């Protein structure tokens, strides 16, 4: 089994910063892409940022230049540094990872439980 545990959510002020972390644990052979999604009230879950095992990144247009995704492969952990926060960033943030549990089994996408980020003065 694989678990993804997020931390670092909370309340941030407009213009401020927050940092999210997500650690994968369990039966892990390798991890391909890792990423962050978010879901605001009444809206669909959308991709925020993704990072490959080689370190290539991609961002949603709404966060490009403000958010930075990174990962520590030795710790099976992905991070999301969020700067210049805006009220529109308020959402539940979910981490995801495509995990292979053995060399013979294709990767499967796992999800964290979500962490609330609220941007308010």
């Amino acid at each position: 089994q694989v678990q993804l545990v997020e931390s670092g959510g909370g309340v941030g002020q407009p213009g401020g910063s927050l940092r999210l972390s997500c650690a994968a644990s369990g039966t892990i052979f390798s991890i391909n892409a890792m990423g962050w999604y978010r879901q605001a009230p009444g809206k669909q879950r959308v991709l925020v940022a993704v990072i490959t095992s080689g370190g290539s990144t991609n961002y949603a247009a709404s966060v490009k230049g403000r958010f930075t995704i990174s990962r520590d492969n030795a710790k099976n952990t992905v991070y999301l540094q969020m700067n210049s926060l805006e009220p529109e960033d308020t959402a539940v943030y979910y981490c995801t990872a495509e995990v292979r549990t053995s060399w013979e089994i294709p990767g499967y996408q796992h999800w964290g439980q979500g962490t609330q980020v609220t941007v308010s003065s």
Side-chain angles (χ1 to χ4, degrees), residues 4-46:
L4 300 181
V5 178
E6 298 134 337
S7 60
V11 179
Q13 291 190 337
S17 298
L18 286 173
R19 188 189 194 214
L20 305 182
S21 301
C22 174
S25 63
T27 305
I28 299 173
F29 174 75
S30 65
I31 302 178
N32 299 329
M34 304 183 81
W36 292 92
Y37 283 70
R38 68 185 182 187
Q39 187 168 18
K43 296 188 177 181
Q44 290 187 330
R45 189 177 299 188
V46 297

Side-chain angles (χ1 to χ4, degrees), residues 4-88:
L4 300 181
V5 178
E6 298 134 337
S7 60
V11 179
Q13 291 190 337
S17 298
L18 286 173
R19 188 189 194 214
L20 305 182
S21 301
C22 174
S25 63
T27 305
I28 299 173
F29 174 75
S30 65
I31 302 178
N32 299 329
M34 304 183 81
W36 292 92
Y37 283 70
R38 68 185 182 187
Q39 187 168 18
K43 296 188 177 181
Q44 290 187 330
R45 189 177 299 188
V46 297
L47 178 67
V48 176
V50 62
I51 184 167
T52 68
S53 57
S56 297
T57 59
N58 205 0
Y59 297 91
S62 59
V63 306
K64 201 167 187 177
R66 300 188 297 121
F67 290 9
T68 301
I69 188 170
S70 61
R71 64 189 284 173
D72 184 334
N73 291 330
K75 296 181 179 179
N76 292 329
T77 298
V78 63
Y79 306 96
L80 186 68
Q81 178 66 44
M82 304 185 292
N83 298 332
S84 302
L85 288 168
E86 301 172 354
E88 293 73 23

Side-chain angles (χ1 to χ4, degrees), residues 74-115:
K75 296 181 179 179
N76 292 329
T77 298
V78 63
Y79 306 96
L80 186 68
Q81 178 66 44
M82 304 185 292
N83 298 332
S84 302
L85 288 168
E86 301 172 354
E88 293 73 23
D89 296 322
T90 296
V92 177
Y93 284 70
Y94 298 89
C95 77
T96 183
E98 185 180 350
V99 179
R100 296 183 67 184
T101 55
S102 75
W103 67 271
E104 57 192 348
I105 300 176
Y108 180 81
Q109 192 168 16
H110 296 267
W111 293 87
Q113 79 284 357
T115 186

